[in-house]
């Protein structure tokens, strides 16, 4: 089965300081900020920047050993992942596994805003960390 995607859900940008990045995107670049939250289990805090029907997700670490801290130490700030929206994440993961795709998550984990997410390894997607997102409800507008 081809991957049935409903569109680009968001693009993730790793930032060192969430407040500074929010100020830049809102006050300098002129975007609207559509809320955010802290995902303590994953050691990160996110804020969403509205881009039409899609979003930019600013991601900052909340502790030194989080996945984003490691990324920042290695690469500095910048593009972190591309997230595509799928209708049925379990089915998408089953299909990807069956085709031998290189997955970081074999099972979904909790994402921001009541979503379930799973990541495809950048080594299996030509250098792009790919996130699959399933919304349980419509994202806040
Ligand atoms: Co994301």
């Amino acid at each position: 089965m081809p991957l049935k995607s409903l569109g680009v859900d968001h693009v993730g940008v790793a930032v060192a300081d969430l407040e500074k990045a929010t100020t830049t995107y809102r006050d300098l670049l002129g975007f609207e900020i559509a809320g955010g939250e802290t995902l303590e289990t994953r050691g990160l805090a996110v804020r969403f920047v509205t881009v039409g029907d899609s979003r930019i997700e600013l991601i900052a670490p909340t502790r030194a050993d989080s996945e984003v801290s490691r990324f920042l130490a290695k690469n500095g700030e910048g593009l972190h992942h591309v997230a595509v929206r799928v209708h049925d994440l379990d089915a998408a993961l089953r299909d990807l596994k069956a085709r031998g795709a290189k997955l970081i998550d074999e099972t979904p984990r909790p994402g921001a805003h009541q979503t379930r997410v799973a990541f495809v390894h950048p080594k299996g997607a030509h250098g792009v960390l790919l996130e699959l997102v399933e919304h349980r409800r419509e994202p806040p507008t």
Side-chain angles (χ1 to χ4, degrees):
M1 288 265 288
L3 181 71
K4 234 188 265 170
S5 174
L6 309 170
V8 173
D9 188 80
H10 62 270
V11 172
V13 175
V15 303
D17 184 320
L18 196 56
E19 295 312 317
K20 267 191 202 164
T22 302
T23 301
T24 302
Y25 273 78
R26 185 188 54 217
D27 300 344
L28 181 68
L29 301 175
F31 287 102
E32 271 180 47
I33 305 297
E37 68 189 76
T38 301
L39 298 170
E40 212 42 76
T41 54
R42 290 172 56 190
L44 50 91
V46 303
R47 201 153 285 164
F48 285 104
V49 178
T50 302
V51 186
D53 290 337
S54 193
R55 293 168 296 167
I56 293 171
E57 177 187 53
L58 304 173
I59 319 155
T62 57
R63 57 172 191 258
D65 65 344
S66 79
E67 49 194 295
V68 184
S69 311
R70 286 193 293 273
F71 178 92
L72 286 169
K74 197 174 161 202
N75 307 290
E77 293 187 307
L79 196 58
H80 181 262
H81 65 271
V82 174
V84 298
R85 192 182 297 199
V86 297
H87 181 65
D88 183 342
L89 183 54
D90 299 300
L93 285 174
R94 267 198 308 275
D95 284 350
L96 286 167
K97 246 185 279 182
R99 285 197 295 269
K102 195 172 165 56
L103 302 176
I104 292 177
D105 302 301
E106 302 247 317
T107 53
R109 53 169 136 165
H113 292 147
Q114 309 283 318
T115 57
R116 298 195 309 148
V117 305
F119 286 90
V120 177
H121 202 286
K123 283 185 180 155
H126 294 262
V128 176
L129 176 59
L130 201 58
E131 178 181 5
L132 307 176
V133 186
E134 178 195 287
H135 284 263
R136 289 183 200 169
R137 58 179 170 80
E138 280 306 297
T141 49

